[in-house]
Amino acid sequence: MLNLKPVAVIHTPYQEKFAVPRQPNLVQDGTGVMELLPPYNVPETVRGLEQFSHLWLIFQFDQIPQGKWQPTVRPPRLGGNQRVGVFASRSTHRPNPLGLSKVELRKIECSQGKVLLHLGAVDLVNGTPIFDIKPYIAYADSEPQAISGFAQQKPSALLQVKFSPNAQTAVQKIETFQPHFGRFITEVLQQDPRPAYQQGQVSDRIYGVHLINYNVKFQITEKESVEVVEIENVIKKPVN
């Protein structure tokens, strides 16, 4: 047995796994800040890291029930209808709940006893534990001619995003202190965060997704179109 201790935790705008893009770099405003934990939160641990533009993160799928995995899974890129082996996929349900993500490193901040790594677009839930950080090395890690099976190309936008008058008014108010919030919502929803087997279907159901401090409610009543119907401020209740 190997006991792992997180070296960092990541702060992102994705408050639940339903909202998270299926890969990094799909939502430009979905950036993250990684905070190193004691005793690793000292400048010495990241000395020289500023020389690298990208990082590999090894993390835990901490919101996935452990032990519930199967030998085969249904990847979203195959429409949720075809099965492949779990090791031929990036499914979150794995024998060991570990994930790997390549992210852009934008800035390192060391101040007031904290070490913060400011990252580009990420695909991680807020609060995800990070077990290791490794620099991305282009000559060894990049394979431009690599074959990526059923995920050779970046996924295209599935849905056109519209905002109801009430939702548009809410976005305009929020953007006075949260720039590009409307663009952020658009890029999250145009990928259709619903399970793959529901994609392409229309319904009267109203979905909700928790982004930053807001519950974004949307509805898909037309094929290839999603409407944001309401945006609610999520007020965190004190713990008794």
Side-chain angles (χ1 to χ4, degrees):
M1 298 295 293
L2 176 64
N3 293 323
L4 300 179
K5 180 180 179 181
V7 301
V9 64
I10 194 166
H11 306 292
T12 80
Y14 306 112
Q15 304 298 331
E16 56 183 348
K17 59 185 178 65
F18 178 54
V20 178
R22 295 186 173 95
Q23 298 295 337
N25 299 322
L26 293 180
V27 178
Q28 61 183 309
D29 299 302
T31 58
V33 178
M34 188 162 50
E35 179 179 356
L36 270 63
L37 301 174
Y40 317 107
N41 59 331
V42 291
E44 288 79 5
T45 62
V46 294
R47 181 184 298 164
L49 194 61
E50 73 281 353
Q51 301 176 52
F52 297 88
S53 65
H54 292 76
L55 307 174
W56 290 110
L57 304 182
I58 299 175
F59 63 91
Q60 178 186 0
F61 291 113
D62 63 321
Q63 294 195 10
I64 302 299
Q66 296 190 28
K68 294 185 177 181
W69 70 278
Q70 295 181 345
T72 61
V73 298
R74 296 186 174 97
R77 291 294 295 273
L78 293 177
N81 297 317
Q82 301 181 46
R83 285 190 173 275
V84 301
V86 64
F87 298 131
S89 79
R90 296 194 176 186
S91 169
T92 56
H93 294 80
R94 316 189 68 80
N96 294 305
L98 297 178
L100 178 69
S101 187
K102 179 176 66 69
V103 299
E104 178 190 5
L105 174 62
R106 294 184 173 178
K107 183 177 71 172
I108 299 176
E109 178 184 357
C110 300
S111 65
Q112 299 180 348
K114 291 187 176 183
V115 177
L116 305 176
L117 306 185
H118 295 261
L119 309 174
V122 299
D123 57 347
L124 301 175
V125 181
N126 186 46
T128 293
I130 307 298
F131 289 127
D132 203 3
I133 304 163
K134 299 180 186 294
Y136 175 91
I137 300 176
Y139 85 86
D141 297 342
S142 177
E143 295 290 346
Q145 304 304 317
I147 298 173
S148 302
F150 53 82
Q152 186 72 26
Q153 302 295 330
K154 179 179 179 179
S156 58
L158 299 176
L159 301 172
Q160 179 183 0
V161 181
K162 301 181 295 185
F163 292 81
S164 71
N166 287 341
Q168 186 62 52
T169 299
V171 166
Q172 291 173 352
K173 292 180 179 179
I174 295 169
E175 286 189 337
T176 60
F177 53 88
Q178 188 74 51
H180 309 304
F181 187 61
R183 184 176 70 183
F184 177 46
I185 293 174
T186 297
E187 292 188 349
V188 169
L189 295 186
Q190 70 183 6
Q191 299 293 331
D192 197 343
R194 298 178 301 169
Y197 68 87
Q198 293 183 8
Q199 293 179 357
Q201 301 179 11
V202 297
S203 170
D204 292 331
R205 177 178 175 181
I206 295 179
Y207 298 85
V209 60
H210 191 174
L211 299 174
I212 311 178
N213 295 322
Y214 301 94
N215 182 23
V216 179
K217 296 184 177 181
F218 63 95
Q219 197 171 22
I220 302 177
T221 57
E222 299 178 14
K223 192 172 183 180
E224 300 181 353
S225 178
V226 53
E227 182 179 26
V228 180
V229 296
E230 188 178 2
I231 300 175
E232 295 179 333
N233 192 359
V234 178
I235 301 176
K236 294 183 178 180
K237 298 180 180 180
V239 178
N240 296 328

